[in-house]
């Protein structure tokens, strides 16, 4: 791959001894959509001392983004002591993946990847169901085998009602209350409804039918009441409480579409749970760039906070964010026909306009005719 190095104008003109690169671009054939060794070092060095590092993707299921984020994750884990990987995915499916990377041969990787997001939307359903992601988890498994299971995985989302219901059912059945069977039946009815919603309505074309069709609205209200009645079992264990909180967040959305904007609050609560379990761990958060932003969003006359806003409030300047995007035209590198250019830019450099509405420390731009979808397993 042809590489070329662009530095700050001041560095070029004045040759100051303490001048360091703030921008690197590399151009190659269309399959060379990864970071060069110098680019990887530049990006990682900008965040390696932080407690929490976000790895954001502008769109899900994009092959180039997954390749680049995998490079970043491996470097942070292998060279800079990051040991807790938190994913925008079902907390229950990620519990299976955590067992997988720690050597549990009873966990089937391909099955776990399919469970990460149970929606009927093609892209969302297959976010992690790709060879590239499978290879990453296999790498983590090999790394853990050689390093005493140092790395753990956790999920910070609630996107699988069946696994969520299974976890709650298992926990509340430990209760000695006479009414357990009654509430288990109510739980099962609610989960069955939410599974129906996930399998038939959780795409951008159909989702609002849930709030417009009277029979669906009535069913959602009944399930919502049942879910909140399960609160009587709260306090049984931290894991039960966490799953109950996530089921309530899911349930709230189906009676109020604005409640989906509280999803970032729920994701941060999950993140905080895992961080509290491992207070000394350095954390990687793998999510969409949107969730890692800090500005508030307004909708329906109310203000909502992205997860990144909560993370910043909790960890301050110990939080840093790398965002992987498609073509960012504020950056200078041209892309010859039939080629792809990958650019890495630091916020502290001369192209600060790229960061006007963003909180990243590093932006990585993939300039290609089309950023293609990853292959699905």
């Amino acid at each position: 791959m042809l590489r070329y190095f662009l530095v700050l104008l001041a560095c070029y003109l004045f040759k100051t001894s303490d001048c360091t690169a703030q921008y690197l671009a590399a151009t190659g054939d269309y399959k060379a959509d990864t970071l060069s060794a110098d680019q990887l070092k530049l990006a990682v060095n900008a965040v390696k001392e932080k407690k929490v590092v976000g790895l954001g993707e502008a769109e899900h299921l994009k092959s180039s983004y997954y390749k680049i984020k995998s490079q970043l994750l491996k470097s942070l884990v292998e060279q800079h002591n990051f040991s807790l990987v938190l994913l925008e995915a079902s907390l229950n499916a990620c519990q299976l993946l955590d067992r997988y990377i720690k050597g549990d041969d009873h966990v089937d990787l391909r099955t776990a990847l399919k469970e990460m997001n149970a929606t009927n939307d093609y892209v969302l359903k297959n976010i992690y169901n790709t060879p590239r992601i499978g290879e990453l988890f296999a790498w983590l498994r090999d790394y853990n085998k050689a390093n005493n299971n140092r790395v753990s995985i956790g999920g910070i989302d609630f996107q699988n009602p069946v696994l969520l219901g299974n976890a709650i059912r298992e926990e509340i059945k430990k209760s000695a209350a006479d009414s357990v069977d009654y509430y288990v039946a109510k739980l099962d009815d609610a989960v069955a409804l939410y599974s129906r919603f996930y399998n038939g309505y959780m795409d951008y074309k159909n989702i609002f039918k849930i709030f417009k069709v009277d029979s669906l609205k009535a069913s959602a209200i009944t399930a919502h009441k049942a879910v909140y009645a399960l609160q009587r079992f709260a306090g049984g264990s931290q894991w039960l409480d966490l799953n109950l909180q996530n089921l309530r967040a899911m349930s709230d959305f189906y009676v109020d579409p604005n409640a989906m904007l509280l999803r970032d609050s729920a994701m941060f609560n999950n993140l905080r749970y895992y961080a509290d379990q491992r207070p000394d761990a350095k954390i990687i958060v793998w999510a969409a760039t949107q969730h890692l932003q800090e500005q508030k969003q307004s909708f329906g006359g109310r203000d909502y906070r992205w997860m990144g806003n909560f993370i910043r409030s909790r960890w301050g300047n110990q939080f840093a964010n790398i965002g992987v995007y498609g073509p960012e035209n504020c950056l200078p590198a041209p892309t010859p026909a039939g080629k792809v250019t990958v650019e890495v830019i630091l916020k502290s450099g001369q192209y600060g306009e790229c960061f006007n509405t963003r909180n990243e420390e590093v932006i990585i731009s993939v300039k290609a005719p089309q950023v293609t979808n990853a292959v699905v397993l």
Side-chain angles (χ1 to χ4, degrees):
M1 179 168 60
L2 175 65
R3 298 177 183 173
Y4 57 91
F5 193 166
L6 297 176
V7 297
L8 291 175
L9 181 61
C11 297
Y12 177 76
L13 293 176
F14 302 110
K15 313 282 188 189
T16 55
S17 60
D18 61 345
C19 189
T20 57
Q22 305 292 307
Y23 173 79
L24 279 172
T27 299
D29 63 46
Y30 188 67
K31 292 184 179 180
D33 51 350
T34 54
L35 300 175
S36 70
D38 287 339
Q39 288 179 313
L40 180 62
K41 183 178 179 180
L42 179 64
V44 169
N45 281 349
V47 301
K48 65 183 182 182
E49 301 299 331
K50 303 298 184 179
K51 168 72 173 180
V52 182
V53 171
L55 298 182
E57 60 204 50
E59 295 179 81
H60 293 310
L61 202 63
K62 294 299 183 182
S63 178
S64 299
Y65 302 169
Y66 287 179
K67 291 179 185 179
I68 290 169
K69 288 177 62 173
S70 293
Q71 287 181 279
L72 294 165
L73 185 147
K74 290 177 182 180
S75 178
L76 290 168
V77 166
E78 198 167 29
Q79 300 176 29
H80 302 292
N81 204 36
F82 283 78
S83 60
L84 180 56
V85 179
L86 302 180
L87 305 165
E88 182 194 341
S90 160
L91 75 160
N92 309 102
C94 287
Q95 190 182 39
L96 295 174
L97 282 172
D98 188 59
R99 288 167 46 195
Y100 170 80
I101 69 166
K102 292 174 179 174
D104 188 339
D105 292 328
H106 295 96
V107 177
D108 180 71
L109 177 59
R110 292 188 64 174
T111 299
L113 294 177
K114 291 178 181 178
E115 298 287 0
M116 301 280 268
N117 193 324
T119 178
N120 65 311
D121 180 85
Y122 178 82
V123 170
L124 299 179
K125 177 176 64 177
N126 291 300
I127 289 176
Y128 298 95
N129 188 30
T130 76
R132 176 65 57 180
I133 298 298
E135 290 166 6
L136 177 61
F137 291 132
W139 180 89
L140 285 169
R141 181 183 172 103
D142 290 341
Y143 177 85
N144 267 347
K145 184 177 181 180
N147 292 275
N148 197 30
N149 284 335
R150 196 175 70 82
V151 177
S152 296
I153 285 177
I156 57 172
D157 213 346
F158 51 70
Q159 303 285 26
N160 191 312
V162 172
L163 294 184
L164 193 55
N166 290 347
I168 294 170
R169 186 187 309 104
E170 180 179 348
E171 290 291 318
I172 66 176
K173 279 191 170 183
K174 298 175 183 177
S175 171
D178 294 336
S179 56
V180 166
D181 289 343
Y182 170 81
Y183 287 102
V184 166
K186 293 295 184 182
L187 168 66
D188 290 345
D189 288 343
V191 168
L193 178 69
Y194 299 150
S195 296
R196 178 186 169 195
F197 287 166
Y198 266 76
N199 290 327
Y201 297 94
M202 290 296 285
D203 54 42
Y204 298 112
K205 178 180 179 181
N206 295 301
I207 192 166
F208 285 100
K209 291 181 181 178
I210 297 169
F211 311 104
K212 296 179 179 179
V213 178
D214 288 343
S215 60
L216 297 179
K217 288 167 57 178
S219 297
I221 291 170
T222 299
H224 187 259
K225 292 177 180 177
V227 166
Y228 270 74
L230 293 169
Q231 182 62 32
R232 68 185 60 231
F233 295 100
S237 69
Q238 286 185 306
W239 180 242
L240 172 60
D241 289 351
L242 186 71
N243 281 274
L244 286 172
Q245 291 166 14
N246 279 270
L247 186 62
R248 288 199 303 272
M250 180 185 292
S251 182
D252 286 345
F253 168 67
Y254 290 123
V255 296
D256 176 8
N258 292 343
M260 182 52 79
L261 297 172
L262 297 174
R263 175 174 161 227
D264 280 73
S265 174
M267 288 198 292
F268 175 73
N269 286 337
N270 296 333
L271 187 158
R272 185 170 54 187
Y273 166 84
Y274 289 108
D276 289 345
Q277 296 292 310
R278 296 192 55 190
D280 296 328
K282 295 173 73 174
I283 303 167
I284 296 170
V285 184
W286 180 298
T289 53
Q290 185 181 47
H291 295 299
L292 295 166
Q293 296 301 309
E294 295 176 40
Q295 72 273 24
K296 293 182 179 179
Q297 53 179 331
S298 296
F299 190 82
R302 297 165 63 185
D303 287 335
Y304 301 91
R305 297 167 67 184
W306 292 114
M307 179 174 59
N309 188 288
F310 291 102
I311 297 174
R312 180 69 70 194
S313 295
R314 170 64 179 82
W315 281 286
N317 64 7
Q318 284 302 302
F319 170 47
N321 194 5
I322 298 177
V324 184
Y325 292 88
E328 291 292 305
N329 293 323
C330 59
L331 304 181
T335 304
K339 301 290 184 178
V340 60
T341 297
V342 177
E343 301 171 301
V344 176
I345 181 170
L346 271 57
K347 188 174 185 177
S348 55
Q350 70 186 106
Y351 302 110
E353 67 271 19
C354 296
F355 299 84
N356 285 343
T357 61
R358 299 170 179 164
N359 71 323
E360 285 98 351
E361 293 297 321
V362 181
I363 284 177
I364 298 172
S365 170
V366 181
K367 286 186 171 177
Q370 182 180 9
V371 181
T372 58
N373 279 349
V375 174
V376 171
L377 290 170

